[in-house]
Amino acid sequence: MMKRFAAILLSFVLLIGLASCSGEAKSADLTAVMDDMKAVLENTEMMDITAENLMPQYGIDSADCKQFAVYIDSTGLKGDEIVLLEGVDADAASRLKEKMDERYRQKENTMKDYQPEEFAMLKECKVEQKGNYVSMIVSPQHEELEEIYEKAFQ
């Protein structure tokens, strides 16, 4: 009886192990990721964006988002903007990526002539998509923030 229980338990453990290695996309709690980012951010003049602001700010329908976290510079003087989105499905994620690409281009056009230091920083940053997740991390600390984001998926 004990051997049979041990065999079943071992089979279950192996099955779980195989399932976790099957290449399924990992998930992340974007609010927790943003909290980790906020803990290291040097820009203290930032604010959260709510679901009601997704459409006017980004042209994003909140129904496309399974979850999101957005934190932007509140002064308008810096280009700092962290946008973490998870689409409800692949089509929604594609729309989110398109909107973030548009936002990035908009920031480029605005900063190019008026904020040369911020423009140089922006050029080091990017919009990225991993499965249904889309991110735009614009910050002088982008490398550190991207590392926090990446660790959330490990």
Side-chain angles (χ1 to χ4, degrees):
M1 176 76 171
M2 193 61 165
K3 283 184 181 181
R4 185 169 181 212
F5 177 74
I8 290 171
L9 184 62
L10 180 61
S11 296
F12 182 72
V13 169
L14 287 173
L15 187 60
I16 296 295
L18 287 173
S20 67
C21 296
S22 68
E24 290 180 30
K26 303 252 181 179
S27 62
D29 176 348
L30 298 181
T31 302
V33 173
M34 186 65 78
D35 287 343
D36 290 346
M37 290 179 173
K38 288 177 182 179
V40 300
L41 276 172
E42 293 169 11
N43 182 347
T44 57
E45 301 201 42
M46 295 190 57
M47 65 182 190
D48 291 299
I49 294 293
T50 63
E52 298 80 45
N53 299 109
L54 287 176
M55 182 56 78
Q57 185 82 18
Y58 300 104
I60 291 174
D61 183 347
S62 60
D64 275 346
C65 297
K66 184 173 182 179
Q67 60 171 330
F68 72 93
V70 181
Y71 203 50
I72 65 171
D73 179 72
S74 62
T75 67
L77 301 174
K78 296 186 177 194
D80 298 31
E81 189 164 347
I82 304 166
V83 183
L84 310 177
L85 308 162
E86 181 184 6
V88 294
D89 57 30
D91 289 338
S94 179
R95 288 189 295 275
L96 296 174
K97 170 77 163 69
E98 187 178 300
K99 293 298 183 184
M100 286 297 93
D101 286 338
E102 285 176 23
R103 176 64 176 169
Y104 185 89
R105 285 189 298 274
Q106 178 186 34
K107 289 178 82 63
E108 278 183 316
N109 292 335
T110 302
M111 293 178 177
K112 185 171 35 180
D113 298 324
Y114 302 108
Q115 297 171 299
E117 293 96 17
E118 294 296 308
F119 180 72
M121 178 265 300
L122 175 69
K123 295 309 285 179
E124 295 178 16
C125 303
K126 63 187 179 284
V127 174
E128 189 174 57
Q129 181 174 358
K130 312 170 112 179
N132 289 347
Y133 290 87
V134 177
S135 65
M136 182 179 77
I137 299 173
V138 178
S139 167
Q141 296 174 264
H142 67 91
E143 290 172 346
E144 183 179 8
L145 299 176
E146 288 167 7
E147 191 175 305
I148 291 169
Y149 184 70
E150 293 298 322
K151 283 183 181 175
F153 293 94
Q154 294 176 354

